């Protein structure tokens, strides 16, 4: 993955590019439930919340070797998987590229989840609320339903 394009505007904050309704789970989520969530193609990380506060970001690789009844949250981490809403977007984008990450959870100063910064597959921009909602609406309108 390359670094952030030079077109990333200076002074723009992460909050301006995040989407605001990521899928989340609670602290009691088990490894088996996490694996089930990962069966959905658009789920790449689990954002584990307790009363709105982000406890962990769990990726598939975190679950390897864990028992199905174990809680998933302690297997995840926040390190390298979280940005603050006030962080500079260009710097955050570059750090994501350097780490090979397409997604980071976005929190406020108290650690409350505000959204998800999700780099599009082509790497030239971020997923938006409108774009995600359009895909949800398309799937709901399809003959097979969601």
């Amino acid at each position: 993955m390359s670094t952030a394009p030079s077109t990333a505007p200076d002074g723009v904050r992460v909050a301006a590019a995040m989407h605001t309704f990521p899928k989340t789970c609670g602290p009691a989520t088990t490894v088996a439930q996490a694996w089930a969530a990962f069966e959905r193609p658009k789920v790449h990380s689990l954002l584990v919340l307790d009363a709105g506060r982000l406890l962990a970001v769990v990726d598939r690789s975190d679950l390897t070797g864990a028992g199905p009844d174990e809680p998933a949250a302690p297997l995840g981490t926040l390190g390298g998987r979280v940005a603050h809403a006030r962080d500079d977007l260009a710097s955050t984008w570059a750090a994501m590229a350097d780490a090979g990450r397409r997604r980071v959870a976005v929190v406020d100063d108290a650690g409350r989840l505000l959204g998800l910064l999700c780099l599009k597959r082509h790497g030239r921009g971020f997923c938006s609320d409108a774009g995600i909602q359009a895909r949800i609406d398309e799937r709901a309108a399809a003959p097979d339903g969601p």
Side-chain angles (χ1 to χ4, degrees):
M1 192 178 294
S2 65
T3 59
S6 59
T7 58
D10 288 334
V12 174
R13 302 292 168 217
V14 165
M18 69 182 185
H19 76 82
T20 60
F21 51 94
K23 291 187 174 38
T24 63
C25 64
T29 301
T30 65
V31 168
Q33 291 168 323
W35 280 121
F38 284 131
E39 289 178 7
R40 295 190 302 269
K42 289 291 186 180
V43 176
H44 301 280
S45 295
L46 293 179
L47 307 179
V48 184
L49 302 183
D50 188 9
R53 191 172 148 271
L54 185 64
L55 297 179
V57 178
V58 179
D59 289 345
R60 286 176 177 88
S61 61
D62 297 329
L63 304 176
T64 304
D69 295 327
E70 288 182 54
L75 303 172
T77 186
L78 297 177
R81 298 177 183 181
V82 176
H84 285 77
R86 70 182 181 300
D87 289 348
D88 177 70
L89 179 60
S91 299
T92 301
W93 193 344
M96 290 170 68
D98 289 347
R101 292 199 69 78
R102 285 187 42 216
R103 292 158 190 83
V104 293
V106 180
V107 298
D108 64 12
D109 290 335
R112 288 184 301 265
L113 181 69
L114 300 176
L116 184 70
L117 187 61
C118 176
L119 188 62
K120 292 181 178 181
R121 187 174 299 135
H122 56 64
R124 295 185 302 270
F126 293 95
C127 301
S128 67
D129 283 350
I132 292 168
Q133 188 60 55
R135 284 193 303 277
I136 291 168
D137 294 346
E138 271 180 23
R139 283 193 304 268
D144 295 349

